């Protein structure tokens, strides 16, 4: 919950530069001592107090004197009460006349002390009342006091003429603890002989406050490190002998703290409200907190977390107090309700559950609840909450039940019960006719009772159930008729998919108002989850840092797409809590790294921070790729640079990691480079999904690719949905139907694709590589002619690729990578690479492999074909080497400790090993 507020626009007196004093130390005549201030809600806010060591010491003496007076008064009151008890005990023991209670009759010292204490009691009551009355509070703004229709003064003469009720000294809204911190900051600055009291001084002193300490503890900040950094910068400030004054920046920070506290519905400015305004006014604080990974958004969310916890306690106490007037049965307060015996058998009273605190508090859903109430007030008798599973539709209903208990609802809902009908109980063991009879009976009881609002979860469960005759209505139509005619009120929920499938354009749809319950995002999701943390911490005995909550929202939203916030994040937190307790024990802190580790295990996607060793590996990406493939330096360099940018998060978040088009003749390494990228970047070749685009040449191939509404799964969408962190290889892209190519326009631009069942498939963690043989002969010819590779690429795009692909699709690729034809030297290197792989397989059997240099050259020459690249080489090695080795193994001519020798004629020989 947060008030709407305007941004402070500060006005500073030019005569005194905002200090409020002239050079002689007297009040500035130009601004009447106001110095600086801002307009907000039609009021002029300013900081009034002037500090001095003598003033502060006098204030401390006054507080101590008041404390001493209170202690003496309480002592006299206690002494009087004790005297009364002792006198009563003595009078009963001696049989004295109780009329002697009046001291002038008995002249008892004990009675005299008691009567003196009565005056002390009255004095204590008076002092407590005065302290409560004078307690610092933030003044609320009435609607008629806001700026709408009011002129904002343009100069200090107009400001001085402003009505006093529109001038607010914000110091009146500061709590005693906060005001004491400002005084302590003044003493600190004076002790260090600084010329001005700055935000840095107050921030340093505020770190001693317990609530501020709790805030930074939740943010997982090392307090010693933070205090040390702030202290270092304070000590760097220049010393001076001039009189100490409050800086303009600090005054503005204090005024901003007042408006921030007001917008957060705080009754007074607490130390925690100072942190963000101080950061905004003192840039060095932003840098200090940046170093410990803290910013204003994180601080604000933790403040909201504390506020939510406090409001939950206050709301619980408030509606429990109001609940004393709410009956615990089906009666209303007037005891005029009609009994509902059948409804009680198939229903659950949510208002009774709310009365006894059995429902979780509803957080950050005020707009949705208000929209539902407005729908009822506008004449609708039913509200249908529509949203995906897990977004909090039931939480909204719980929020309504809690508001009904505290009677903070529209008039039509006051003194009513919210009752949930169990659909399973309604239809179980009954045929459709009996189920209809039961529903009609329940509706009749609700109508007669007059104090019941019904709630049906998953309303689609009653759709289509009818008595069976041609004229009969299904249960949903029975409910629709009741809402339209019987004057009853109903809440119901349904998912978006089921709404379209079952409810849309049905009779029920025409009598209810639809309220969308969207998946919460960002700060809203964080605040909803924060409201659950206290229960989780109590249940598991662990402690959640704010960074853990922020990370679970961010990573689950980014990487888990088959479920919705906040449910998926809460389930993950439950799992992590169990894991942390097992690994670290109770009392351990759940950090953002714990979150990243568990989500990595769930999604198989690396989410942890980039380590130094991983950074070094990425810097050597070209070397690693060339360990698998030969040549194509330009292609390898372009791909490596793109992947490094992606891993360092220097890319647009709504696009795939990278989109490449590999163009060139067949057999030159396009597919091999894709496999290398999959193994090195994702960890395995198994993370590569390969599609032969020649299989998608027909218009109906779209269904094969993305599926259909009748349940057919799309090959591509299902692969990526289940493994979003993967490489998609589109082999010979130009052969696909234009409708298929249009799909990839959206994928490469937005990083998502909607499948046939309406699900959004995320491609932002995928690498898309398309290959094309278009222009292969042109590339071969130009490379032989020695044409520059950039010139070849430009002509290839303009004269060849444009003939088979739309220009907008080509422009979606991060790079068009041209693969050059292989040279005989490349083929010789590839031969060595392939033979090394064979050597690895033989080594597992305890067999060695040696190759004569002339054999490499002969095999390369025999396996090289300029038209097909290195592909014939693999077949040649299988025929002349692998097959021969296999035969010798099967015939036992080759055994463990032997060595396979490929001689200068590329023939296989066996060198027998020594017997042990």
């Amino acid at each position: 919950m947060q008030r709407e507020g305007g941004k402070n626009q500060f006005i500073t007196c030019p005569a005194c530069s905002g200090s409020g004093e002239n050079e002689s130390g007297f009040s500035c005549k130009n601004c009447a001592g106001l110095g600086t201030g801002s307009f907000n809600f039609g009021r002029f806010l300013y900081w009034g107090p002037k500090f001095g060591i003598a003033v502060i010491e006098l204030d401390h003496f006054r507080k101590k004197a008041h404390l001493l007076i209170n202690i003496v008064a309480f002592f006299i009151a206690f002494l009087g009460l004790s005297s009364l008890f002792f006198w009563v005990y003595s009078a009963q023991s001696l049989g004295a006349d109780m009329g002697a209670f009046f001291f002038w009759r008995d002249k008892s010292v004990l009675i005299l002390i008691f009567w003196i204490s009565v005056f002390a009691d009255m004095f204590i009551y008076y002092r407590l009342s005065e302290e409560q009355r004078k307690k610092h509070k933030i003044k609320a703004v009435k609607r008629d006091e806001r700026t709408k229709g009011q002129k904002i003064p343009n100069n200090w003469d107009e400001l001085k003429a402003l009505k006093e009720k529109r001038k607010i000294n914000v110091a009146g809204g500061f709590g005693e603890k906060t005001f004491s911190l400002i005084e302590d900051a003044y003493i600190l600055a004076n002790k260090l002989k600084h010329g001005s009291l700055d935000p840095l001084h107050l921030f340093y002193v505020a770190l001693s406050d317990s609530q501020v300490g709790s805030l930074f503890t939740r943010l997982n900040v090392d307090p010693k490190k933070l205090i040390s950094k702030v202290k270092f910068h304070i000590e760097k400030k220049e010393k001076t002998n001039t009189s100490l004054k409050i800086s303009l920046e600090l005054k503005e920070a204090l005024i901003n703290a007042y408006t921030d506290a007001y917008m957060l519905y705080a009754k007074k400015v607490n130390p925690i409200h100072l942190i963000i305004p101080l950061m905004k006014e003192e840039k060095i604080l932003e840098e200090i907190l940046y170093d410990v990974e803290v910013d204003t958004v994180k601080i604000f969310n933790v403040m909201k977390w504390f506020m939510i916890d406090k409001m939950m306690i206050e709301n619980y106490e408030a509606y429990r107090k109001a609940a004393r007037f709410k009956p615990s049965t089906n009666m209303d307060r007037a005891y005029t309700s009609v009994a509902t015996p059948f409804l009680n058998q198939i229903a659950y009273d949510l208002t009774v559950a709310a009365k006894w605190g059995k429902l979780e508090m509803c957080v950050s859903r005020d707009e949705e609840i208000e929209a539902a109430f407005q729908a009822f007030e506008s004449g609708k008798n039913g509200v249908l909450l529509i949203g995906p599973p897990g977004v909090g539709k039931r939480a909204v209903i719980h929020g309504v039940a809690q508001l009904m208990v505290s009677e903070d609802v529209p008039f039509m809902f006051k003194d009513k019960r919210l009752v949930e009908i169990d659909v399973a109980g309604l239809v179980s063991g009954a045929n459709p006719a009996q189920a209809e009879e039961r529903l009609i009976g329940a509706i009749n009881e609700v109508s007669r009772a007059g104090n019941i609002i019904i709630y049906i979860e998953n309303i689609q469960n009653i759709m289509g159930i009818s008595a069976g005759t041609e004229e009969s209505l299904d249960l949903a139509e029975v409910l629709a008729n009741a809402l339209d005619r019987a004057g009853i009120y109903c809440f119901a929920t349904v998912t978006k998919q089921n709404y379209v499938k079952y409810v849309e354009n049905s009779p029920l749809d025409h009598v209810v108002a639809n309220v969308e319950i969207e998946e919460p995002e960002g700060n809203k999701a964080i605040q909803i989850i924060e409201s659950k943390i206290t229960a989780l911490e109590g249940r598991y005995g662990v402690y959640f840092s704010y960074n853990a909550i922020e990370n679970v929202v961010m990573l689950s939203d980014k990487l888990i797409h088959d479920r919705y916030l906040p449910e998926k994040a809460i389930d993950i937190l439950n799992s992590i809590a169990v894991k942390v307790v097992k690994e670290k024990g109770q009392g351990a802190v759940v950090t953002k790294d714990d979150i990243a580790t568990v989500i990595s295990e769930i999604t198989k996607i690396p989410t942890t921070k980039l380590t130094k060793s991983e950074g070094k590996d990425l810097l050597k990406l070209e070397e690693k790729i060339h360990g698998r493939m030969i040549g194509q330096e330009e292609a390898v360099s372009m791909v490596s640079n793109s992947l490094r940018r992606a891993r360092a998060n220097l890319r647009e978040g709504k696009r795939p990691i990278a989109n490449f088009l590999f163009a060139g003749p067949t057999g030159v390494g396009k597919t091999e480079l894709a496999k290398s990228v999959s193994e090195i970047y994702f960890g395995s070749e198994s993370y590569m999904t390969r599609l032969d685009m020649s299989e998608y040449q027909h218009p109906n191939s779209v269904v094969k690719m993305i599926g259909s509404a009748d349940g057919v799964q799309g090959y591509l969408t299902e692969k990526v949905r289940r493994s979003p962190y993967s490489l998609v290889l589109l082999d010979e892209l130009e052969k696909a139907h234009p409708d298929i190519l249009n799909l990839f326009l959206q994928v490469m631009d937005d990083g998502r694709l909607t499948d046939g069942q309406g699900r959004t498939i995320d491609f932002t963690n995928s690498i898309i590589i398309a290959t094309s043989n278009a222009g292969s002969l042109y590339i071969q010819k130009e490379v032989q002619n020695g044409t520059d590779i950039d010139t070849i690429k430009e002509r290839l795009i303009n004269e060849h690729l444009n003939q088979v692909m739309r220009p907008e699709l080509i422009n979606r690729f991060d790079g068009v990578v041209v693969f050059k034809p292989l040279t005989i030297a490349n083929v010789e290197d590839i031969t060595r690479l392939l033979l090394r792989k064979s050597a690895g397989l033989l080594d597992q059997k305890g067999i060695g492999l040696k190759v004569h240099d002339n054999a490499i050259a002969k095999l390369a020459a025999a396996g090289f074909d300029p038209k097909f690249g290195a592909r014939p080489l693999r077949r040649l090695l299988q025929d002349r080497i692998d097959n021969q080795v296999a035969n010798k193994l099967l015939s036992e001519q080759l055994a463990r400790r032997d060595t396979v020798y490929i001689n200068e004629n590329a023939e296989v020989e066996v060198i027998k090993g020594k017997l042990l």
Side-chain angles (χ1 to χ4, degrees):
M1 183 179 288
Q2 183 176 337
R3 283 188 175 107
E4 294 181 2
K7 185 177 180 181
N8 286 326
Q9 297 178 344
F10 286 93
I11 304 172
T12 302
C13 174
C16 63
S17 300
S19 67
E21 299 177 355
N22 57 27
E23 294 180 355
S24 303
F26 295 104
S27 179
C28 174
K29 293 183 179 179
N30 184 59
C31 63
L34 298 178
T36 187
S38 72
F39 267 91
N40 200 311
F41 290 132
R43 306 178 303 177
F44 181 72
L45 309 179
Y46 68 97
W47 175 263
K50 305 288 191 298
F51 287 109
I53 297 298
V55 174
I56 293 173
E57 289 179 350
L58 183 63
D59 183 57
H60 288 176
F61 176 77
R62 179 185 59 81
K63 290 178 180 177
K64 291 177 181 178
H66 284 187
L67 178 63
L68 181 62
I69 292 170
N70 287 344
I71 291 172
V72 171
F74 274 107
F75 175 75
I76 294 174
F78 174 77
L79 186 64
L81 195 61
S82 301
S83 299
L84 176 64
F85 283 134
F86 185 75
W87 179 84
V88 170
Y89 175 77
S90 301
Q92 289 179 341
S93 301
L94 299 174
D97 182 10
M98 296 300 291
F101 178 70
F102 301 101
F103 69 91
W104 57 82
R105 293 180 56 182
D106 190 41
K107 298 183 179 179
S108 169
V109 175
L110 295 175
I111 296 300
L112 178 61
I113 292 173
F114 167 73
W115 280 108
I116 292 174
S117 74
V118 170
F119 290 101
D121 292 338
M122 289 189 290
F123 177 73
I124 290 170
Y125 177 78
Y126 166 75
R127 284 187 63 81
L128 292 176
S129 300
E130 280 296 293
E131 286 181 9
Q132 187 65 30
R133 185 180 66 82
K134 293 179 179 179
K135 212 167 190 178
H136 295 187
K137 292 181 180 179
I138 294 175
K139 294 185 178 180
V141 186
K142 297 178 181 178
R143 288 185 179 272
D144 58 358
E145 294 178 357
R146 300 191 178 183
T147 53
K148 189 175 180 180
Q150 296 180 353
K151 181 184 176 183
I152 298 177
N154 293 318
N155 54 62
W156 283 97
D157 289 332
E158 293 181 2
L159 276 171
K160 287 187 287 186
L162 200 66
K163 292 181 180 179
E164 286 302 318
K165 71 174 184 178
R166 290 183 64 191
K167 297 178 186 176
I168 303 296
N169 181 358
V170 297
F174 280 63
E176 287 188 15
K177 188 184 292 185
T178 314
F179 206 84
S180 295
L181 288 176
I182 301 172
E183 292 180 338
D184 292 343
Y186 186 93
I187 293 171
L188 173 66
N190 184 72
K191 182 180 178 181
L192 296 174
K193 295 183 179 180
H194 292 164
S196 65
L197 176 59
D198 298 325
L200 198 61
H201 296 105
L202 183 53
F203 185 88
Y204 178 77
V205 172
L207 292 175
S208 64
D209 179 72
S210 59
Q211 195 176 32
V212 173
S214 297
L215 182 146
F216 284 109
T217 300
R218 285 290 186 183
L219 289 167
N220 208 28
V221 173
D222 182 352
K224 292 183 180 179
K225 183 178 179 182
L226 180 58
I227 291 170
S228 175
K229 281 179 173 286
V230 178
K231 185 178 180 181
F232 171 77
H233 286 282
I234 287 178
E235 291 174 346
K236 282 175 61 178
K237 283 184 173 290
E238 185 179 352
K239 294 185 178 182
T240 179
N241 292 322
T242 59
S243 59
L244 180 62
K245 294 182 179 180
I246 300 178
S247 69
L248 182 64
E249 291 79 13
L250 182 56
K251 283 187 176 183
E252 291 181 357
L254 295 172
I255 294 170
N256 283 330
Y258 180 91
T259 55
D260 287 355
Y262 170 78
M263 287 189 289
L264 289 171
Y265 281 86
K267 295 178 181 177
K268 59 185 178 182
V269 180
N270 294 314
I272 199 172
H273 297 126
L274 297 171
I275 303 302
I276 293 178
L278 292 175
M279 281 179 63
K280 289 181 177 178
E281 294 296 334
E282 187 76 66
K283 295 303 177 185
I284 192 64
L285 284 175
E286 281 195 16
E287 295 303 316
I288 291 172
L289 291 173
Y290 176 84
D291 289 343
V292 292
E293 298 182 349
V294 172
D295 56 29
T296 54
V297 174
K298 291 183 177 181
I299 292 174
F300 180 76
N301 279 334
V302 176
M303 287 173 56
K304 291 282 294 222
W305 184 356
F306 291 175
M307 186 192 81
I308 287 167
D309 280 348
K310 184 178 179 182
M311 287 182 64
M312 285 173 67
I313 295 170
E314 290 177 352
N315 289 350
Y316 178 77
E317 292 175 350
Y319 84 69
R320 280 298 298 272
K321 188 181 293 184
R324 289 180 294 181
F325 304 102
K326 194 80 174 177
S328 300
T329 64
N330 60 348
M331 292 291 179
D332 56 21
R333 288 203 299 267
Y335 293 95
T336 58
S337 174
V338 176
T340 55
F342 175 70
L343 182 67
N344 295 343
Q345 295 176 22
I346 61 167
Y348 176 65
D349 196 321
L350 293 174
T351 42
V352 171
K355 172 185 170 68
W356 298 113
K358 294 181 180 180
L359 305 182
E360 291 185 350
M361 297 297 293
C362 178
V363 173
S364 295
R365 289 297 188 183
D366 298 340
E367 293 179 4
E368 291 84 351
I369 293 176
E370 183 61 28
F373 285 158
Q374 286 179 4
F376 283 112
E377 289 177 311
S378 65
K380 289 288 187 179
N381 281 18
V383 164
L384 187 60
L385 305 181
I386 305 172
V391 298
K393 300 186 293 295
R394 189 174 183 85
V396 173
I397 297 298
H398 287 180
V400 171
Q402 290 156 357
L403 291 174
M404 289 176 67
V405 169
S406 60
E407 300 289 348
D408 187 17
V409 288
F411 178 77
M412 65 188 68
F413 278 26
K414 289 184 182 293
D415 199 18
K416 297 284 195 305
R417 300 162 57 205
L418 181 59
V419 173
E420 179 180 2
I421 292 180
D422 180 9
V423 175
L426 183 69
V427 301
S428 61
N431 58 40
Q434 291 171 327
E436 182 178 319
E437 185 179 342
R438 289 180 181 181
L439 180 61
I440 292 173
I443 289 172
N444 288 336
E445 287 188 354
V446 169
S447 182
R448 288 198 304 270
N451 71 332
I452 296 174
I453 296 158
I454 61 175
Y455 162 57
I456 301 175
E457 190 171 50
N458 297 326
I459 193 71
Q460 74 274 3
N461 291 335
I462 67 170
M463 307 291 291
I465 302 176
S466 66
T469 62
E470 191 172 330
E471 297 82 10
S472 63
L473 304 176
D474 69 15
L475 298 189
E477 290 177 300
V478 172
L479 177 63
N481 287 340
L483 293 176
D484 194 32
R485 300 173 185 172
I488 64 174
Y489 297 108
C490 174
F491 281 98
T493 62
V494 68
T495 64
K496 288 184 177 180
Q497 190 174 357
N498 285 330
Y499 172 77
V500 173
K501 191 173 182 180
Y502 299 106
V503 182
E504 193 171 27
N505 296 323
S506 69
L508 181 63
D509 191 31
H510 296 146
V511 297
V512 297
N514 297 336
V515 174
E516 294 277 347
I517 309 296
E518 300 288 349
E519 181 181 24
E521 297 179 349
N523 291 340
K524 189 173 184 178
I526 289 172
Q527 290 158 17
I528 290 174
I529 292 168
E530 284 173 344
S531 69
K532 317 290 183 184
I533 292 299
T534 301
L536 287 175
E537 290 178 338
R539 185 182 309 151
Y540 297 108
V542 294
Y543 183 88
F544 287 90
S545 68
Y546 169 79
N547 291 338
I549 299 170
E550 182 185 53
N551 219 29
V552 77
V553 170
M554 181 185 70
L555 292 179
S556 63
D557 181 50
K558 181 179 179 181
L559 303 177
I560 301 175
H561 300 282
D562 55 351
R563 299 185 63 194
Y564 297 89
L565 288 169
E567 184 183 68
K568 62 182 177 183
I570 294 169
D571 287 347
I572 290 170
L573 290 176
N574 276 285
S575 301
I576 288 170
V578 173
K579 180 182 174 70
V580 168
V581 168
K582 287 181 179 179
E583 294 179 353
K584 303 179 184 178
Q586 289 198 335
V589 177
V590 178
T591 66
K592 66 177 184 179
D593 293 333
D594 295 319
I595 301 290
T597 299
V598 171
I599 292 182
S600 288
E601 292 172 358
I602 294 171
T603 62
K604 311 300 181 189
I605 299 174
T607 59
T608 52
K609 202 174 187 178
L610 188 65
T611 62
K612 289 184 179 179
S613 61
E614 189 182 356
K616 291 179 180 178
D617 289 343
L618 287 170
L619 291 174
K620 298 178 180 178
L621 207 54
E622 289 91 341
E623 182 182 329
K624 285 179 170 290
I625 292 174
H626 280 306
R628 285 196 44 145
M629 66 174 291
I630 303 300
Q632 310 298 352
E633 283 76 10
E634 294 89 349
V636 172
S637 177
M638 180 181 286
V639 170
S640 299
N641 287 329
S642 181
L643 295 181
R644 279 192 286 266
R645 290 194 302 271
R647 193 66 180 95
N649 289 322
L650 296 176
R651 67 183 178 97
E652 295 180 36
K654 292 185 178 180
R655 302 182 75 237
I657 294 172
N659 303 314
F660 293 117
L661 175 60
F662 291 174
T666 185
V668 295
K670 299 190 296 295
T671 301
E672 188 61 31
L673 180 53
K675 289 180 179 179
S676 301
V677 169
S678 180
E679 181 179 22
I680 294 168
Y681 195 83
F682 297 121
S684 171
E685 281 188 30
S686 63
Y687 284 101
M688 186 176 81
T689 299
R690 183 172 181 174
L691 291 87
D692 184 351
M693 303 308 288
S694 63
E695 299 178 5
Y696 297 87
Q697 297 183 20
H698 304 287
N700 58 2
S701 299
V702 172
V703 173
K704 183 179 178 181
M705 182 75 75
I706 67 171
S708 63
D710 57 5
V712 175
Q713 302 286 355
Y715 180 76
L716 174 64
T717 52
E718 190 63 15
K719 281 276 189 180
V720 176
R721 188 180 75 84
R722 294 185 179 278
S723 183
Y725 196 69
S726 60
L727 186 147
V728 178
L729 178 61
L730 309 173
D731 224 352
E732 297 185 288
L733 179 66
E734 72 275 10
K735 293 183 179 180
H737 190 274
D739 290 348
I740 296 291
L741 298 181
N742 288 339
L743 293 176
F744 288 100
L745 280 172
Q746 180 186 352
V747 171
M748 294 179 189
D749 205 30
D750 298 333
R752 60 183 180 178
L753 183 64
T754 303
D755 71 1
Q757 298 176 43
R759 297 174 299 191
T760 299
I761 310 301
D762 179 58
F763 281 79
T764 58
N765 294 292
S766 301
I767 295 174
I768 298 176
I769 295 178
T771 70
S772 174
N773 294 330
S776 296
L777 294 176
Y778 164 75
I779 294 172
Q780 288 177 326
K781 179 182 176 182
E782 293 301 318
V783 169
Q784 289 173 359
N785 294 336
T787 307
D788 178 69
I789 195 71
D790 291 331
T791 304
I792 294 173
K793 182 194 296 186
E794 185 178 350
R795 290 178 182 172
L796 176 69
I797 293 172
N798 295 331
E799 299 175 12
H800 297 272
L801 291 177
N802 275 342
Q803 304 300 317
V804 294
M805 298 179 200
R806 293 166 58 186
E808 54 265 40
L809 177 62
I810 298 173
N811 289 334
R812 293 297 194 281
F813 289 104
D814 298 322
V816 176
V817 184
V818 176
F819 282 67
K820 297 183 293 185
L822 298 176
T823 64
I824 189 64
N826 293 147
V827 178
E828 289 180 1
D829 289 336
I830 293 170
T831 304
R832 292 187 181 92
L833 186 65
L834 293 175
L835 288 174
R836 278 201 299 268
K837 290 182 179 180
S838 297
L841 295 173
L842 288 171
D843 185 63
Q844 294 175 12
K845 299 179 179 293
I847 300 171
L849 175 67
K850 288 185 178 180
V851 184
H852 195 282
D853 287 342
N854 290 343
I856 296 290
K858 283 195 172 188
L859 290 170
F864 177 55
D865 184 336
K867 187 182 293 185
F868 297 105
R871 285 199 174 154
L873 177 64
R874 191 181 296 272
R875 290 192 294 271
L876 176 76
L877 291 177
Q878 287 177 351
D879 293 340
R880 295 182 58 173
I881 307 299
D882 294 345
N883 290 348
Q884 293 296 318
V885 171
N887 291 335
K888 292 182 183 297
L889 279 169
L890 294 173
S891 63
E892 299 184 353
Q893 297 178 42
L894 181 63
R896 189 175 182 83
R897 292 185 293 278
D898 293 345
T899 299
V900 172
Y901 178 62
I902 304 175
N903 62 27
E904 58 185 356
N905 296 318
E907 296 172 342
V908 176
E909 296 180 1
V910 175
I911 302 174
K912 301 300 291 186
K914 294 181 180 180
L915 295 174
L916 294 177

